[in-house]
Amino acid sequence: MMTTFLHKLMLTCEKASWFIEKNSQDRLTLWERMRLQTHLIVCRFCRLFNQQSRFIDKQLHHLINDPADLSSGPVLDDASKARLEKTVQQQLEIL
Amino acid sequence: MPEQKTCILSFRVFQYFVYSFLHMSKQRTTTSPCDPSTWVKNYADDLFRFAVTKVNDPALAEDLVQDSLLSALKALGQFKGESNEKTWLISILKNKIIDHYRNKARQREFPEHSLLYLQLDETETGNALFFDEQGSWRKDQRPLNWGGIDEEHPLDNPEFKKVLNHCLEKLPSNWLAVFKLKFMEAKESKEICKELSLSASNYWVIMHRAKLQLRACLEKKWFHSQQ
């Protein structure tokens, strides 16, 4: 009863999680922010979602952007290198 | 006038130095230290590692490295001696990776995904997997407490990175491309939409859905993997 009432009055969890995502990249309007904040006060799950969503963004940023440690990690095998070398030489001859 | 003579003489000496200096620096820029025949030997591994961390696929990474080397050869004239050869090659590679994801993100003809696209496009109720008819979290989809995560500092754990990559790969490939572009290019959502000719609502649907899936996957595979 209580939850359906709250959903009518405020945001559904679906919409709240949408606002959370939008809030992480863009600006919400004042009205949207107010609705989201009120929802977060009453909804434990969306509070968790909010926290975890920010955590995931941070991880992704780190994974994709932080200068990879180029001194270790996978290397090309010799066959691939020979192939690359050949392609480069061919192209050099054409030029 | 001996004074005037010394003055002229010293001016000539000065001129000589200036000319030789200019000549030297000119020579230095024309003979740039760019030697394509050593590229594979010196940089192939670094370029390959860089590409693998971005695309998480060795075969694709190799193709991208080859493409970048060929583009670099064609653009040799644009290489300016002042920047490092390796930095230059990596910047070309980075652009190749962004191009790759742009093309991927524009692909919408995948039959199994285009259906999703349509569904999501109409309303926001493609989320039935996560929310019930009232828009509340489904019981089995409610976020669990992950216990003491630090939102500010990334986890530097190779095992976690593996799981994160695994979860990313589970997203539809064109969604993943939009996701990667967003993080690689650090552009505003509006610009990314424009670049991919994606409507704003479609963009948010992708971001929202991708985040829901990613969160659920991480919870299952990492934070509550024992249960």
Side-chain angles (χ1 to χ4, degrees):
Chain A
M1 265 303 276
M2 189 60 187
T3 42
T4 35
F5 170 72
L6 284 175
H7 283 157
K8 278 203 181 118
L9 192 73
M10 292 180 280
L11 286 171
T12 61
C13 292
E14 187 175 357
K15 198 76 191 162
S17 65
W18 167 281
F19 279 164
I20 287 168
E21 182 55 36
K22 203 168 176 195
N23 190 29
S24 71
Q25 300 184 38
D26 232 347
R27 281 187 71 83
L28 293 178
T29 62
L30 184 65
W31 174 233
E32 285 169 340
R33 242 180 309 159
M34 272 166 60
R35 289 173 77 194
L36 176 60
Q37 287 307 327
T38 335
H39 182 92
L40 287 181
I41 289 169
V42 293
C43 180
R44 187 161 64 91
F45 302 118
C46 287
R47 277 204 301 279
L48 280 173
F49 183 82
N50 189 23
Q51 185 199 25
Q52 291 166 1
S53 170
R54 267 187 287 162
F55 172 79
I56 293 170
D57 281 342
K58 201 87 191 169
Q59 294 297 337
L60 285 174
H61 201 270
H62 182 61
L63 182 80
I64 296 171
N65 279 328
D66 282 2
D69 182 11
L70 297 182
S71 57
S72 65
V75 289
L76 275 173
D77 54 77
D78 291 339
S80 306
K81 264 188 211 164
R83 227 178 8 251
L84 270 181
E85 188 83 65
K86 209 173 142 200
T87 324
V88 170
Q89 288 303 337
Q90 275 171 354
Q91 188 66 28
L92 268 176
E93 276 159 29
I94 295 169
L95 289 171
Chain B
M1 296 270 179
E3 255 181 18
Q4 213 178 359
K5 265 190 181 164
T6 30
C7 196
I8 290 172
L9 190 69
S10 54
F11 181 64
R12 288 278 171 229
V13 171
F14 175 65
Q15 239 179 357
Y16 170 73
F17 276 117
V18 168
Y19 277 151
S20 51
F21 175 71
L22 282 179
H23 189 65
M24 257 168 56
S25 56
K26 201 178 164 195
Q27 244 184 352
R28 207 186 299 153
T29 49
T30 48
T31 59
S32 70
C34 202
D35 183 6
S37 57
T38 62
W39 281 353
V40 174
K41 195 173 92 212
N42 291 342
Y43 310 120
D45 284 336
D46 289 346
L47 292 172
F48 179 67
R49 282 189 196 122
F50 181 86
V52 167
T53 52
K54 303 279 175 199
V55 301
N56 193 35
D57 173 354
L60 174 62
E62 196 184 322
D63 285 349
L64 289 167
V65 168
Q66 177 172 326
D67 279 359
S68 322
L69 288 179
L70 293 180
S71 296
L73 283 175
K74 283 180 197 141
L76 263 184
Q78 291 159 31
F79 177 72
K80 295 181 189 69
E82 66 248 25
S83 80
N84 182 323
E85 213 179 9
K86 184 168 132 189
T87 323
W88 182 63
L89 289 173
I90 284 195
S91 72
I92 293 176
L93 177 58
K94 192 178 170 190
N95 284 330
K96 287 275 170 207
I97 296 171
I98 290 178
D99 280 347
H100 164 77
Y101 280 125
R102 265 187 211 146
N103 290 334
K104 267 261 146 103
R106 290 203 188 101
Q107 283 170 9
R108 285 169 212 159
E109 60 273 24
F110 290 85
E112 72 270 42
H113 298 149
S114 57
L115 190 69
L116 269 180
Y117 247 99
L118 279 178
Q119 268 181 2
L120 293 171
D121 213 8
E122 300 295 312
T123 55
E124 291 143 27
T125 51
N127 301 324
L129 191 66
F130 299 96
F131 302 100
D132 60 23
E133 308 77 51
Q134 267 123 31
S136 301
W137 293 97
R138 285 189 182 281
K139 255 200 181 114
D140 54 343
Q141 292 294 336
R142 288 174 178 166
L144 298 171
N145 196 342
W146 288 0
I149 47 165
D150 186 348
E151 294 148 56
E152 294 308 316
H153 297 100
L155 260 177
D156 235 337
N157 180 336
E159 286 301 309
F160 179 75
K161 276 189 185 170
K162 239 184 246 170
V163 174
L164 186 56
N165 267 322
H166 165 84
C167 289
L168 280 172
E169 297 302 326
K170 281 184 147 188
L171 299 174
S173 65
N174 43 3
W175 292 13
L176 176 64
V178 180
F179 231 72
K180 289 230 174 172
L181 278 178
K182 187 220 146 191
F183 282 96
M184 275 183 78
E185 294 202 294
K187 279 187 179 166
E188 292 217 5
S189 53
K190 273 188 205 125
E191 284 174 76
I192 294 180
C193 290
K194 216 161 138 196
E195 196 178 290
L196 302 176
S197 39
L198 203 63
S199 71
S201 69
N202 233 331
Y203 174 83
W204 290 113
V205 168
I206 291 175
M207 283 293 160
H208 182 217
R209 252 319 263 290
K211 184 63 75 57
L212 285 167
Q213 279 193 24
L214 204 56
R215 196 211 68 80
C217 178
L218 283 176
E219 184 164 287
K220 207 166 113 205
K221 301 272 170 187
W222 180 261
F223 290 99
H224 290 265
S225 57
Q226 344 31 2
Q227 288 151 18

